[in-house]
Amino acid sequence: MGNGTRGFRAAPAGKHAVLIALGFLAVFPLYWMINTSFKPDTEVFSSSLLPRHWTFDNYRTAWNSVPMARMLTNSLAVALLQTGTQLFTSILAAFAFTRWTFKGSSLIYGLIGLTWLVPFQVIMIPNYVMISSFGWRDSLMGLVVPNIASAFAVLQLFNTFKSFPRALIEAARLDGASDWKVLWRTIFPNLRSAIASIGILLFITAWNDYFWPLLVTTKMEHSTIQKGLQMFMSSEMNLWGPLMAATTIASLPVLVIYLILQRQIIDSFVKGGLR
Amino acid sequence: MSLATKRGLAAGVLTLAMLTTVACGKTENNSASNAAGGSSAAEGSPSASAGASQTADSGASGEKIKLTFYSYNLATAGQKEGTQQLIDEFEKANPDIEIDGIPVASTDINAKVQADIAAGSPPDVAQLVFDGLDYAVNNFGAKPLEDIVPADELSKAFEGFSPNGLKLGQLNGKTYGLPFTFSTPVLFYNAKLFKDAGLDPETPPATWAEVKQDALRIAQKTGVSGVHIGGAQGNDWIIQALIGSNGGKVLSDDRKTIQFGSPEAIGAIQMWQDMIASGANDKLNDGDVIEAFAQGKVGMLLFTSALQSMFVSSAQAGGWELKAAAMPSFDGKPTTPVNSGSALFILSNDKAKQEAAWKFLNFVTSERGYTIITSKIGYLPLRPAIVDDPQYLKDYVEQNPLIKPNLEQLDRLQPWVSYPGPNWHQIETTLLDAVQKSILSTGDITPIMQDAQKQAQSLVQ
């Protein structure tokens, strides 16, 4: 980094131009969503960059058409619980794979990897039949329990755990720490940012899930917010204003969590890129 | 390590394949046994009907019968209230029956019903789109009304029903679905653009040749799109309406032979292709055109009448006048408007629930029911007499004259044909793909349509 040659100085301008363009591409839809959410019906299809007449009607309609508060609470509960349990199970799995070499470990790892490739549609009916037989329809258990393990998280964390220096683990063991302590006192604090970034991805996936809540829940009051968004879309027309208002509300929690954990995410993406 | 991983992977693939097969086999068995259970219960094994009549008795002695009702109108913000009103009024009139309305989007409703059948708990009543009629009958175990309701009661309930309307939910001579919310294709047009182009908005085009002429004139004089024929995406009901209006069919009467490669069918699509090639019809997709039409930037639009209320408000906001005409014909041949939309199906296997469900279906398709459906949800009444009855829709129709061309079309209404077998959706998609390809091509479309027919035929089981 220190040897700042001339070539290195010319590059950032071009790089920044590209990054600014990409940044614009990423931010513009978000901006357009918020812009449309404040436009009255008559302006929804106009291309003006700001509403000529600002209105909160769309938010009012969106809020009153579906039990928004209930659904947001449900979404938050499901996403947090699901993320928490997925992280917990995958940390244990990743630790087991790194800490011990046991017979069949690569087979199990391969199997876990393969389940990641199975599309949800293939397993949704068997899952649903099972959930129904437990009487878990329309319940938090039904929404969360089938998703407490994530193959994606196991694979990601295994790679992260592998990079953790073995010598440190051995040293901790020599100091008399149990495996449980090694995991939570030695490894976990050092890999916190990587785990947090996987957590964010898991949270977003859980938050955005539509089909499973659609199957498991019946009433809007028991469902997550993604099912509520569908209320504003139909085969004949979309109510763009309320839809954009509802989508804005629905994306706020994810944005807030992203802002809180921003540092960790960027850290881990950078590390992931370097590896 | 690498060897071990490879071996591991191979073993993994094998195990996984086995697991999936087992899982699939299991679901199939499940649904099969369910279907079997369903038919035996319906046909009344002694113990089942005894149990059912007991439930009916307990219903009379004050215990409520609870019906689950899947509806996509409940899952649409603008239609939820009208649908809920139907439920509320029914419950008020029938205090012993409770309707548990469950909102499911129309695109997901079949998948959810399928999953529930696999799980052994189908909804008691479901609102399903007409193109899935065959599948609902043969795979969802929909119950024919003739098996539930005594013949004289049924014929009394159907008095005053449009005979064409009743056919929409029938298959093999039995009534499985009662038409609930449905619409027909109408030609919406922008009277302001007509005037700007020097055309008379009081005499809309009646044939496709006239449509082309007027559309080219609108495009030339005003610079906006002249006409758009909708329905090349999504579902095939408008395509079926066009093919039928040119004397063709998509499926033979014995429901065995796909016929959308016939000269009549090809002729109908050729008209569409020519409309685009000549520049009379734009090349935009339906969603974009609906928005453009709402902004007053399209001369004419053939699409579902369900869009009417949205266009009325956007015309008011945009300062132009909305008008509507019946679907144009192929040089005076009688048109065959095909319905879009949905019917209500009884899926419950329980005798008492079936009877309660019939009461509900009977109410929503009654004079009062269709009044709510038309005035509050925005679809069509299948009881023609209520349109002139001040107790029901007279005032509404006077205030909303745009619905008239739509009502006139009910006399010529043809059912939306559902394709046979489990591949029905694939067949519909095959036709849609072929039409999309045909109307945007420049050459002879015969090979495209005939290939599609051949491909679709191989999907018929």
Side-chain angles (χ1 to χ4, degrees), chain B residues 82-280:
Chain B
T83 315
Q84 191 59 48
Q85 190 185 343
L86 278 174
I87 295 175
D88 293 344
E89 286 194 13
F90 173 76
E91 284 180 336
K92 215 172 159 196
N94 297 274
D96 57 329
I97 302 171
E98 186 186 338
I99 304 286
D100 186 16
I102 293 162
V104 189
S106 66
T107 41
D108 303 318
I109 210 159
N110 279 319
K112 186 153 166 80
V113 171
Q114 181 92 69
D116 282 326
I117 287 175
S121 55
D124 301 316
V125 179
Q127 176 193 11
L128 303 172
V129 180
F130 280 107
D131 56 354
L133 172 65
D134 187 288
Y135 197 73
V137 169
N138 291 313
N139 295 65
F140 289 170
K143 308 289 176 292
L145 294 178
E146 284 81 356
D147 291 3
I148 297 171
V149 190
D152 51 332
E153 189 187 336
L154 198 63
S155 59
K156 207 175 148 210
F158 287 160
E159 267 170 32
F161 227 85
S162 145
N164 282 341
L166 208 49
K167 273 187 222 150
L168 305 183
Q170 288 178 340
L171 193 74
N172 307 326
K174 285 196 171 179
T175 314
Y176 290 92
L178 272 193
F180 181 50
T181 51
F182 79 99
S183 54
T184 67
V186 288
L187 188 73
F188 290 109
Y189 62 99
N190 183 326
K192 184 172 174 289
L193 287 175
F194 264 59
K195 279 180 207 150
D196 291 351
L199 297 164
D200 178 13
E202 297 309 317
T203 51
T207 67
W208 288 113
E210 290 170 20
V211 169
K212 184 181 168 188
Q213 224 176 5
D214 291 357
L216 284 171
R217 188 154 170 165
I218 291 169
Q220 206 181 15
K221 297 262 173 171
T222 65
V224 303
S225 166
V227 65
H228 180 87
I229 301 175
Q233 295 131 23
N235 299 105
D236 71 343
W237 62 288
I238 294 184
I239 297 174
Q240 288 192 11
L242 289 171
I243 289 176
S245 300
N246 198 34
K249 268 185 192 148
V250 292
L251 184 70
S252 64
D253 288 336
D254 65 1
R255 303 183 52 75
K256 290 202 170 94
T257 318
I258 300 287
Q259 294 182 325
F260 49 66
S262 68
E264 293 85 3
I266 291 170
I269 309 302
Q270 262 165 353
M271 175 282 292
W272 199 342
Q273 178 197 24
D274 173 55
M275 207 65 97
I276 292 176
S278 67

Side-chain angles (χ1 to χ4, degrees), chain A residues 65 128 137 210 215 219 231, chain B residues 77 80 100 108 112 116 121:
Chain A
S65 301
Y128 183 63
R137 271 196 277 179
Y210 170 73
L215 279 184
K219 293 283 177 190
M231 281 290 280
Chain B
K80 191 178 71 171
D100 186 16
D108 303 318
K112 186 153 166 80
D116 282 326
S121 55

Side-chain angles (χ1 to χ4, degrees), chain B residues 65-85:
Chain B
I65 298 180
K66 193 172 168 185
L67 296 178
T68 48
F69 169 41
Y70 285 7
S71 163
Y72 66 76
N73 294 120
L74 281 174
T76 310
Q79 303 173 333
K80 191 178 71 171
E81 279 174 36
T83 315
Q84 191 59 48
Q85 190 185 343

